[in-house]
Amino acid sequence: MAKADRLARLDERRLESETAYRAALIAALRRTAAGKWGLFDHKPDRASQAAAAPIVEALTELGDEIDDLREQLSIEPFQLHQEFLAARGPVKAHAVGEPKQAQAWLDRLEATTGSVE
């Protein structure tokens, strides 16, 4: 019974952390969609990278925490965080800009859940 209670608490903490991650990601995406570059680290601009660094660091720490909880619960890594990490980094010159990419992410999140808080 104690193990079941511990797992239930871990799962509750995972769900709360995933909700917090999603909210933080949506806030960051809205900021980027409004024209603030750096979240996706597409261009080597130190000012935009520095401005986005605390946001990216917070998302990464929370995503890693969620993955640790998921590992303890024997479930797959947090897909939303994996997708975010994969979307970061240099892109080809013809790729869409970060604001458009952020808006596409917001549209996709809204389509999959029905709302973007």
Side-chain angles (χ1 to χ4, degrees), residues 29-73:
L29 290 169
R30 285 186 176 145
R31 178 181 179 271
T32 303
K36 300 289 185 184
W37 284 68
L39 181 66
F40 292 107
D41 198 24
H42 285 343
K43 44 183 200 178
D45 173 30
R46 289 187 185 191
S48 61
Q49 289 171 335
I55 297 166
V56 172
E57 185 177 323
L59 286 169
T60 301
E61 287 177 9
L62 189 53
D64 290 346
E65 177 186 317
I66 292 166
D67 283 343
D68 289 344
L69 292 168
R70 284 174 159 260
E71 185 177 329
Q72 291 177 48
L73 294 164

Side-chain angles (χ1 to χ4, degrees), residues 22 26 30 105-117:
R22 181 179 163 77
I26 288 169
R30 285 186 176 145
W105 271 67
L106 288 168
D107 294 344
R108 181 177 62 99
L109 289 172
E110 182 175 19
T112 59
T113 61
S115 71
V116 179
E117 295 99 34

Side-chain angles (χ1 to χ4, degrees), residues 80-103:
L80 184 58
H81 181 58
Q82 301 305 314
E83 291 171 8
F84 171 67
L85 292 177
R88 295 194 78 241
V91 293
K92 297 185 182 199
H94 65 278
V96 298
E98 287 191 27
K100 286 186 180 180
Q101 183 178 7
Q103 187 58 55

